[in-house]
Coordinates of all heavy atoms in Angstrom, one line a residue:
T90 N 9.9 1.2 8.0 CA 10.4 2.6 8.3 C 11.3 3.0 7.1 O 11.6 4.2 7.0 CB 11.1 2.6 9.6 OG1 12.2 1.7 9.6 CG2 10.1 2.3 10.7
D91 N 11.9 2.1 6.4 CA 12.7 2.4 5.2 C 12.8 1.1 4.5 O 12.7 0.0 5.0 CB 14.1 2.9 5.6 CG 14.9 3.4 4.4 OD1 14.3 3.6 3.3 OD2 16.1 3.7 4.6
C92 N 13.0 1.2 3.2 CA 13.1 0.0 2.4 C 13.8 0.3 1.1 O 13.4 1.3 0.4 CB 11.7 -0.6 2.1 SG 11.7 -2.1 1.2
E93 N 14.9 -0.3 0.8 CA 15.6 -0.2 -0.5 C 16.0 1.2 -0.9 O 16.0 1.5 -2.0 CB 14.7 -0.9 -1.6 CG 14.4 -2.3 -1.4 CD 13.5 -3.0 -2.4 OE1 13.5 -2.5 -3.6 OE2 12.8 -3.9 -2.0
G94 N 16.2 2.0 0.1 CA 16.6 3.4 -0.1 C 15.5 4.4 -0.3 O 15.8 5.5 -0.6
L95 N 14.3 4.0 -0.2 CA 13.2 4.9 -0.4 C 13.1 6.0 0.7 O 12.7 7.1 0.4 CB 11.8 4.1 -0.4 CG 11.6 3.3 -1.6 CD1 10.4 2.4 -1.4 CD2 11.3 4.1 -2.8
G96 N 13.5 5.7 1.9 CA 13.5 6.7 3.0 C 12.2 6.8 3.7 O 11.1 6.4 3.1
P97 N 12.2 7.3 4.9 CA 11.0 7.3 5.7 C 9.8 8.2 5.1 O 8.7 7.9 5.4 CB 11.5 7.9 7.0 CG 12.9 8.0 7.0 CD 13.4 7.7 5.6
K98 N 10.2 9.2 4.4 CA 9.1 10.1 3.8 C 8.2 9.3 2.8 O 7.0 9.7 2.7 CB 9.7 11.3 3.2 CG 10.3 12.3 4.2 CD 10.8 13.5 3.5 CE 11.4 14.4 4.5 NZ 12.0 15.6 3.9
L99 N 8.7 8.3 2.2 CA 7.9 7.6 1.2 C 7.1 6.4 1.8 O 6.3 5.8 1.1 CB 8.7 7.2 0.0 CG 9.2 8.3 -0.9 CD1 10.1 7.8 -2.0 CD2 8.1 9.2 -1.4
M100 N 7.5 6.0 3.0 CA 6.9 4.8 3.6 C 5.4 4.9 3.8 O 4.7 3.9 3.6 CB 7.6 4.5 4.9 CG 9.0 4.0 4.8 SD 9.2 2.5 3.7 CE 9.7 3.2 2.2
P101 N 4.8 6.1 4.1 CA 3.3 6.2 4.2 C 2.6 5.8 2.9 O 1.4 5.5 2.9 CB 3.1 7.6 4.6 CG 4.3 8.1 5.2 CD 5.4 7.4 4.5
F102 N 3.3 5.9 1.8 CA 2.7 5.6 0.5 C 3.1 4.1 0.1 O 2.2 3.4 -0.5 CB 3.2 6.6 -0.6 CG 3.0 8.0 -0.2 CD1 4.1 8.7 0.2 CD2 1.8 8.6 -0.3 CE1 3.9 10.1 0.6 CE2 1.6 9.9 0.1 CZ 2.7 10.6 0.6
Y103 N 4.3 3.7 0.4 CA 4.8 2.4 0.0 C 4.1 1.3 0.8 O 3.7 0.3 0.2 CB 6.3 2.4 0.2 CG 7.0 1.2 -0.4 CD1 7.1 1.1 -1.8 CD2 7.7 0.3 0.4 CE1 7.8 0.0 -2.3 CE2 8.4 -0.7 -0.1 CZ 8.5 -0.9 -1.5 OH 9.2 -1.9 -2.1
N104 N 4.0 1.4 2.1 CA 3.4 0.4 2.9 C 2.0 0.0 2.5 O 1.7 -1.2 2.4 CB 3.4 0.8 4.4 CG 4.8 0.5 5.1 OD1 5.2 -0.6 5.3 ND2 5.5 1.6 5.4
P105 N 1.1 0.9 2.2 CA -0.3 0.5 1.8 C -0.3 -0.2 0.5 O -1.1 -1.1 0.3 CB -1.0 1.9 1.7 CG -0.3 2.8 2.6 CD 1.1 2.4 2.5
I106 N 0.7 0.1 -0.4 CA 0.8 -0.7 -1.7 C 1.1 -2.2 -1.3 O 0.5 -3.1 -1.9 CB 1.8 -0.1 -2.6 CG1 1.4 1.3 -3.1 CG2 2.0 -1.0 -3.8 CD1 2.5 2.1 -3.8
L107 N 2.1 -2.3 -0.5 CA 2.5 -3.7 -0.1 C 1.3 -4.4 0.6 O 1.1 -5.6 0.3 CB 3.7 -3.7 0.8 CG 5.0 -3.2 0.1 CD1 6.2 -3.2 1.2 CD2 5.4 -4.1 -1.0
Y108 N 0.7 -3.7 1.5 CA -0.4 -4.4 2.3 C -1.6 -4.7 1.4 O -2.3 -5.7 1.6 CB -0.8 -3.6 3.5 CG 0.0 -3.9 4.7 CD1 1.0 -3.2 5.2 CD2 -0.3 -5.1 5.4 CE1 1.8 -3.5 6.3 CE2 0.5 -5.5 6.5 CZ 1.5 -4.7 6.9 OH 2.3 -5.0 8.0
T109 N -1.8 -3.9 0.4 CA -2.9 -4.2 -0.6 C -2.6 -5.5 -1.3 O -3.4 -6.4 -1.4 CB -3.1 -3.0 -1.6 OG1 -3.5 -1.9 -0.9 CG2 -4.1 -3.4 -2.6
S110 N -1.3 -5.7 -1.7 CA -0.9 -6.9 -2.4 C -1.1 -8.1 -1.5 O -1.6 -9.1 -1.9 CB 0.6 -6.8 -2.8 OG 0.8 -5.8 -3.7
A111 N -0.7 -7.9 -0.2 CA -0.7 -9.1 0.7 C -2.2 -9.5 1.0 O -2.5 -10.7 1.0 CB 0.0 -8.7 2.0
V112 N -3.0 -8.5 1.3 CA -4.4 -8.8 1.6 C -5.1 -9.4 0.4 O -5.8 -10.4 0.5 CB -5.2 -7.6 2.2 CG1 -6.7 -7.8 2.3 CG2 -4.6 -7.2 3.5
A113 N -4.9 -8.8 -0.7 CA -5.6 -9.3 -2.0 C -5.0 -10.7 -2.3 O -5.8 -11.6 -2.6 CB -5.3 -8.4 -3.1
G114 N -3.8 -11.0 -2.1 CA -3.2 -12.3 -2.4 C -3.7 -13.3 -1.5 O -4.1 -14.5 -1.9
L115 N -3.8 -13.0 -0.2 CA -4.4 -13.9 0.8 C -5.9 -14.3 0.5 O -6.3 -15.4 0.5 CB -4.2 -13.4 2.2 CG -4.6 -14.3 3.3 CD1 -3.8 -15.6 3.3 CD2 -4.5 -13.6 4.7
L116 N -6.6 -13.2 0.2 CA -8.1 -13.5 -0.1 C -8.2 -14.3 -1.4 O -9.1 -15.1 -1.6 CB -8.8 -12.1 -0.3 CG -9.0 -11.4 1.0 CD1 -9.6 -10.0 0.8 CD2 -9.9 -12.2 2.0
A117 N -7.3 -14.0 -2.4 CA -7.4 -14.8 -3.7 C -7.1 -16.2 -3.4 O -7.8 -17.1 -4.0 CB -6.4 -14.2 -4.7
V118 N -6.1 -16.5 -2.6 CA -5.7 -17.9 -2.3 C -6.9 -18.6 -1.6 O -7.2 -19.8 -2.0 CB -4.4 -18.0 -1.4 CG1 -4.3 -19.4 -0.8 CG2 -3.2 -17.6 -2.3
V119 N -7.5 -18.0 -0.7 CA -8.6 -18.6 0.0 C -9.9 -18.7 -0.8 O -10.6 -19.7 -0.8 CB -8.9 -17.8 1.3 CG1 -10.1 -18.3 2.1 CG2 -7.7 -17.9 2.2
A120 N -10.2 -17.6 -1.5 CA -11.5 -17.6 -2.2 C -11.6 -17.8 -3.7 O -12.6 -18.3 -4.2 CB -12.2 -16.2 -1.9
E121 N -10.5 -17.5 -4.4 CA -10.5 -17.6 -5.8 C -9.9 -18.9 -6.4 O -10.4 -19.4 -7.4 CB -9.8 -16.4 -6.4 CG -10.7 -15.2 -6.4 CD -10.0 -14.0 -7.1 OE1 -8.9 -14.1 -7.6 OE2 -10.7 -12.9 -7.1
N122 N -8.8 -19.3 -5.9 CA -8.0 -20.3 -6.5 C -8.4 -21.7 -5.9 O -7.5 -22.5 -5.4 CB -6.5 -20.1 -6.3 CG -6.1 -18.7 -6.8 OD1 -5.4 -18.0 -6.1 ND2 -6.6 -18.3 -8.0
R123 N -9.7 -22.0 -5.8 CA -10.2 -23.1 -5.1 C -9.8 -24.5 -5.7 O -9.7 -25.4 -4.9 CB -11.7 -23.0 -5.0 CG -12.1 -21.8 -4.1 CD -13.6 -21.8 -3.9 NE -13.9 -20.7 -3.1 CZ -15.1 -20.4 -2.7 NH1 -16.1 -21.1 -3.0 NH2 -15.3 -19.3 -1.9
T124 N -9.6 -24.6 -6.9 CA -9.2 -25.9 -7.5 C -7.7 -26.2 -7.3 O -7.3 -27.3 -7.6 CB -9.6 -26.0 -9.0 OG1 -8.9 -25.1 -9.8 CG2 -11.1 -25.8 -9.2
A125 N -7.0 -25.2 -7.0 CA -5.5 -25.4 -6.7 C -5.3 -25.9 -5.3 O -6.0 -25.5 -4.4 CB -4.8 -24.1 -6.9
R126 N -4.3 -26.7 -5.2 CA -4.0 -27.1 -3.8 C -3.3 -26.0 -3.0 O -2.5 -25.2 -3.6 CB -3.0 -28.3 -3.9 CG -3.7 -29.5 -4.6 CD -2.9 -30.7 -4.4 NE -3.7 -31.8 -4.9 CZ -3.2 -33.0 -5.3 NH1 -1.9 -33.2 -5.2 NH2 -3.9 -33.9 -5.7
L127 N -3.7 -26.0 -1.8 CA -3.1 -24.9 -0.9 C -1.6 -25.0 -0.7 O -1.0 -24.0 -0.5 CB -3.8 -25.0 0.5 CG -3.6 -23.9 1.5 CD1 -4.0 -22.5 0.8 CD2 -4.3 -24.1 2.7
R128 N -1.1 -26.2 -1.0 CA 0.4 -26.3 -0.8 C 1.1 -25.4 -1.9 O 2.3 -25.1 -1.7 CB 0.8 -27.7 -0.8 CG 0.7 -28.4 -2.2 CD 1.2 -29.8 -2.1 NE 1.1 -30.4 -3.4 CZ 0.7 -31.6 -3.6 NH1 0.3 -32.4 -2.6 NH2 0.7 -32.1 -4.8
I129 N 0.5 -25.1 -3.0 CA 1.2 -24.3 -4.0 C 1.5 -22.9 -3.5 O 2.7 -22.6 -3.5 CB 0.3 -24.2 -5.3 CG1 0.0 -25.6 -5.9 CG2 0.9 -23.3 -6.3 CD1 1.1 -26.4 -6.4
P130 N 0.6 -22.1 -3.0 CA 0.9 -20.8 -2.5 C 1.8 -20.9 -1.2 O 2.7 -20.1 -1.0 CB -0.4 -20.1 -2.3 CG -1.4 -21.2 -2.2 CD -0.9 -22.3 -3.0
M131 N 1.6 -22.0 -0.4 CA 2.4 -22.1 0.8 C 3.8 -22.4 0.4 O 4.7 -21.9 1.1 CB 1.8 -23.3 1.6 CG 0.4 -23.0 2.1 SD 0.2 -21.5 3.0 CE 1.0 -21.9 4.6
A132 N 4.0 -23.2 -0.7 CA 5.4 -23.5 -1.1 C 6.1 -22.2 -1.5 O 7.3 -22.0 -1.3 CB 5.4 -24.5 -2.2
M133 N 5.4 -21.3 -2.1 CA 6.0 -20.0 -2.5 C 6.5 -19.2 -1.3 O 7.5 -18.5 -1.4 CB 4.9 -19.1 -3.2 CG 4.5 -19.7 -4.6 SD 5.8 -19.6 -5.8 CE 5.9 -21.4 -6.1
L134 N 5.9 -19.4 -0.1 CA 6.4 -18.7 1.1 C 7.8 -19.2 1.4 O 8.5 -18.5 2.1 CB 5.4 -18.9 2.2 CG 4.1 -18.2 2.0 CD1 3.1 -18.5 3.2 CD2 4.3 -16.7 1.9
G135 N 8.1 -20.4 1.0 CA 9.5 -20.9 1.2 C 10.6 -20.0 0.5 O 11.7 -20.1 0.8
L136 N 10.1 -19.2 -0.4 CA 11.1 -18.3 -1.1 C 11.4 -17.0 -0.3 O 12.3 -16.3 -0.8 CB 10.4 -17.9 -2.5 CG 10.2 -19.0 -3.5 CD1 9.5 -18.4 -4.7 CD2 11.6 -19.5 -3.9
V137 N 10.8 -16.8 0.8 CA 11.0 -15.6 1.5 C 12.5 -15.3 1.8 O 13.0 -14.3 1.6 CB 10.1 -15.5 2.8 CG1 10.5 -14.3 3.7 CG2 8.6 -15.4 2.4
P138 N 13.2 -16.3 2.4 CA 14.6 -16.0 2.7 C 15.4 -15.7 1.4 O 16.3 -14.9 1.5 CB 15.1 -17.3 3.4 CG 13.9 -18.1 3.8 CD 12.8 -17.6 2.9
V139 N 15.1 -16.4 0.4 CA 15.8 -16.2 -0.9 C 15.5 -14.8 -1.4 O 16.4 -14.0 -1.9 CB 15.4 -17.2 -2.0 CG1 16.0 -16.9 -3.3 CG2 15.8 -18.6 -1.5
L140 N 14.2 -14.3 -1.3 CA 13.9 -13.0 -1.7 C 14.5 -11.9 -0.9 O 14.9 -10.9 -1.4 CB 12.3 -12.9 -1.8 CG 11.6 -13.7 -2.8 CD1 10.1 -13.6 -2.6 CD2 12.0 -13.3 -4.2
V141 N 14.6 -12.1 0.4 CA 15.2 -11.2 1.3 C 16.7 -11.0 0.9 O 17.2 -9.9 0.7 CB 15.2 -11.6 2.8 CG1 16.1 -10.7 3.7 CG2 13.7 -11.5 3.3
A142 N 17.4 -12.1 0.7 CA 18.8 -12.1 0.3 C 18.9 -11.4 -1.1 O 19.8 -10.6 -1.3 CB 19.4 -13.5 0.2
Y143 N 18.0 -11.7 -2.0 CA 18.0 -11.1 -3.3 C 17.8 -9.6 -3.3 O 18.5 -8.8 -3.9 CB 17.0 -11.7 -4.3 CG 17.0 -11.0 -5.6 CD1 18.0 -11.2 -6.6 CD2 16.0 -10.0 -5.9 CE1 18.0 -10.5 -7.7 CE2 16.0 -9.3 -7.0 CZ 17.0 -9.5 -8.0 OH 17.1 -8.8 -9.1
Q144 N 16.8 -9.2 -2.5 CA 16.6 -7.7 -2.3 C 17.8 -7.0 -1.8 O 18.1 -5.9 -2.4 CB 15.4 -7.5 -1.4 CG 14.1 -7.9 -1.9 CD 13.0 -7.8 -0.8 OE1 13.2 -7.5 0.3 NE2 11.8 -8.3 -1.2
H145 N 18.5 -7.5 -0.9 CA 19.7 -6.8 -0.4 C 20.8 -6.9 -1.3 O 21.6 -5.9 -1.5 CB 20.1 -7.4 1.0 CG 19.1 -7.0 2.1 ND1 19.2 -5.8 2.7 CD2 18.0 -7.5 2.6 CE1 18.3 -5.6 3.6 NE2 17.5 -6.7 3.5
W146 N 21.0 -8.0 -2.0 CA 22.0 -8.1 -3.1 C 21.8 -7.1 -4.2 O 22.6 -6.4 -4.6 CB 22.0 -9.6 -3.6 CG 23.0 -9.8 -4.8 CD1 24.3 -10.0 -4.7 CD2 22.6 -9.8 -6.2 NE1 24.8 -10.1 -6.0 CE2 23.8 -10.0 -6.9 CE3 21.4 -9.6 -6.9 CZ2 23.8 -10.1 -8.3 CZ3 21.5 -9.7 -8.2 CH2 22.6 -9.9 -8.9
E147 N 20.5 -7.1 -4.6 CA 20.1 -6.1 -5.7 C 20.3 -4.7 -5.2 O 20.8 -3.8 -6.0 CB 18.7 -6.4 -6.1 CG 18.1 -5.4 -7.1 CD 18.3 -5.8 -8.6 OE1 18.9 -6.8 -8.8 OE2 17.8 -5.0 -9.4
H148 N 20.0 -4.4 -4.0 CA 20.1 -3.0 -3.5 C 21.6 -2.6 -3.5 O 21.9 -1.5 -3.8 CB 19.5 -2.9 -2.0 CG 19.6 -1.6 -1.4 ND1 18.9 -0.5 -2.0 CD2 20.2 -1.1 -0.4 CE1 19.2 0.6 -1.2 NE2 19.9 0.2 -0.3
R149 N 22.5 -3.5 -3.0 CA 23.9 -3.2 -3.1 C 24.4 -2.9 -4.5 O 25.1 -2.0 -4.7 CB 24.7 -4.3 -2.4 CG 24.6 -4.4 -0.9 CD 25.6 -5.4 -0.3 NE 25.4 -6.7 -0.8 CZ 24.5 -7.6 -0.3 NH1 23.8 -7.3 0.8 NH2 24.5 -8.8 -0.8
R150 N 23.9 -3.7 -5.4 CA 24.3 -3.5 -6.8 C 23.7 -2.2 -7.3 O 24.4 -1.4 -8.1 CB 23.8 -4.6 -7.7 CG 24.6 -5.9 -7.6 CD 24.0 -7.0 -8.5 NE 23.9 -6.6 -9.9 CZ 24.8 -6.7 -10.9 NH1 26.0 -7.3 -10.5 NH2 24.6 -6.4 -12.1
L151 N 22.5 -1.9 -7.0 CA 21.9 -0.6 -7.4 C 22.6 0.6 -6.8 O 22.8 1.6 -7.5 CB 20.4 -0.6 -7.1 CG 19.5 -1.5 -7.9 CD1 18.2 -1.6 -7.3 CD2 19.4 -1.0 -9.4
L152 N 23.1 0.5 -5.6 CA 23.9 1.6 -5.0 C 25.2 1.8 -5.7 O 25.5 2.9 -6.0 CB 24.1 1.2 -3.5 CG 23.0 1.4 -2.5 CD1 23.4 0.8 -1.2 CD2 22.6 2.9 -2.4
G153 N 25.8 0.7 -6.1 CA 27.1 0.8 -6.8 C 26.8 1.4 -8.2 O 27.6 2.2 -8.7
Q154 N 25.8 1.0 -8.9 CA 25.4 1.6 -10.2 C 25.1 3.1 -10.1 O 25.4 3.8 -11.0 CB 24.3 0.8 -10.8 CG 24.8 -0.6 -11.3 CD 23.7 -1.4 -11.9 OE1 22.6 -1.0 -12.0 NE2 24.1 -2.6 -12.4
A155 N 24.4 3.4 -9.0 CA 24.1 4.9 -8.8 C 25.3 5.7 -8.7 O 25.4 6.9 -9.1 CB 23.2 5.0 -7.6
R156 N 26.4 5.1 -8.1 CA 27.6 5.8 -7.9 C 28.4 5.9 -9.3 O 29.0 6.9 -9.6 CB 28.5 5.2 -6.9 CG 29.7 5.9 -6.5 CD 30.5 5.3 -5.3 NE 30.7 3.8 -5.4 CZ 30.1 2.9 -4.8 NH1 29.1 3.2 -3.9 NH2 30.4 1.6 -5.0
T157 N 28.4 4.8 -10.0 CA 29.3 4.7 -11.2 C 28.5 5.0 -12.5 O 29.2 5.5 -13.4 CB 29.9 3.3 -11.3 OG1 28.9 2.3 -11.4 CG2 30.8 3.0 -10.1
R158 N 27.3 4.8 -12.5 CA 26.4 5.0 -13.7 C 25.1 5.7 -13.3 O 24.1 5.1 -13.4 CB 26.2 3.7 -14.5 CG 27.4 3.1 -15.1 CD 27.1 1.9 -15.9 NE 26.2 1.0 -15.2 CZ 26.5 -0.3 -15.0 NH1 27.5 -0.8 -15.5 NH2 25.6 -1.0 -14.4
P159 N 25.2 6.9 -12.9 CA 23.9 7.6 -12.4 C 22.9 7.7 -13.6 O 23.3 8.0 -14.7 CB 24.4 8.9 -11.9 CG 25.8 9.1 -12.4 CD 26.3 7.8 -12.8
G160 N 21.7 7.6 -13.2 CA 20.6 7.7 -14.2 C 19.3 8.2 -13.5 O 19.3 8.2 -12.3
W161 N 18.3 8.5 -14.3 CA 17.1 8.9 -13.7 C 16.4 7.9 -12.8 O 15.8 8.2 -11.8 CB 16.1 9.3 -14.8 CG 15.6 8.1 -15.7 CD1 16.2 7.7 -16.8 CD2 14.6 7.2 -15.4 NE1 15.6 6.5 -17.3 CE2 14.5 6.3 -16.4 CE3 13.6 7.2 -14.4 CZ2 13.6 5.2 -16.5 CZ3 12.6 6.2 -14.4 CH2 12.7 5.2 -15.5
W162 N 16.7 6.6 -13.1 CA 16.0 5.5 -12.4 C 16.7 5.1 -11.1 O 16.2 4.4 -10.3 CB 16.0 4.3 -13.3 CG 17.3 3.8 -13.8 CD1 18.0 4.4 -14.9 CD2 18.1 2.8 -13.3 NE1 19.2 3.7 -15.0 CE2 19.3 2.8 -14.1 CE3 17.9 1.9 -12.3 CZ2 20.3 1.9 -13.8 CZ3 19.0 1.0 -12.0 CH2 20.1 1.0 -12.8
N163 N 17.9 5.7 -10.8 CA 18.6 5.4 -9.6 C 19.0 6.7 -8.8 O 19.9 6.7 -8.0 CB 19.8 4.5 -9.8 CG 20.9 5.1 -10.7 OD1 20.9 6.3 -10.9 ND2 21.8 4.3 -11.2

Side-chain angles (χ1 to χ4, degrees):
T90 56
D91 192 8
C92 185
E93 301 177 28
L95 288 168
K98 289 183 181 177
L99 293 178
M100 291 301 101
F102 308 103
Y103 191 65
N104 278 292
I106 295 170
L107 292 178
Y108 271 102
T109 298
S110 299
V112 170
L115 186 59
L116 290 173
V118 165
V119 172
E121 286 184 355
N122 310 133
R123 292 186 181 181
T124 65
R126 295 193 171 157
L127 190 56
R128 71 176 181 225
I129 301 294
M131 298 305 284
M133 293 293 119
L134 292 175
L136 294 173
V137 170
V139 174
L140 292 173
V141 169
Y143 175 77
Q144 288 171 3
H145 286 276
W146 175 82
E147 175 90 356
H148 182 63
R149 286 189 300 274
R150 283 182 54 90
L151 288 167
L152 284 169
Q154 288 177 357
R156 186 175 52 254
T157 60
R158 291 186 312 235
W161 66 269
W162 58 279
N163 62 17

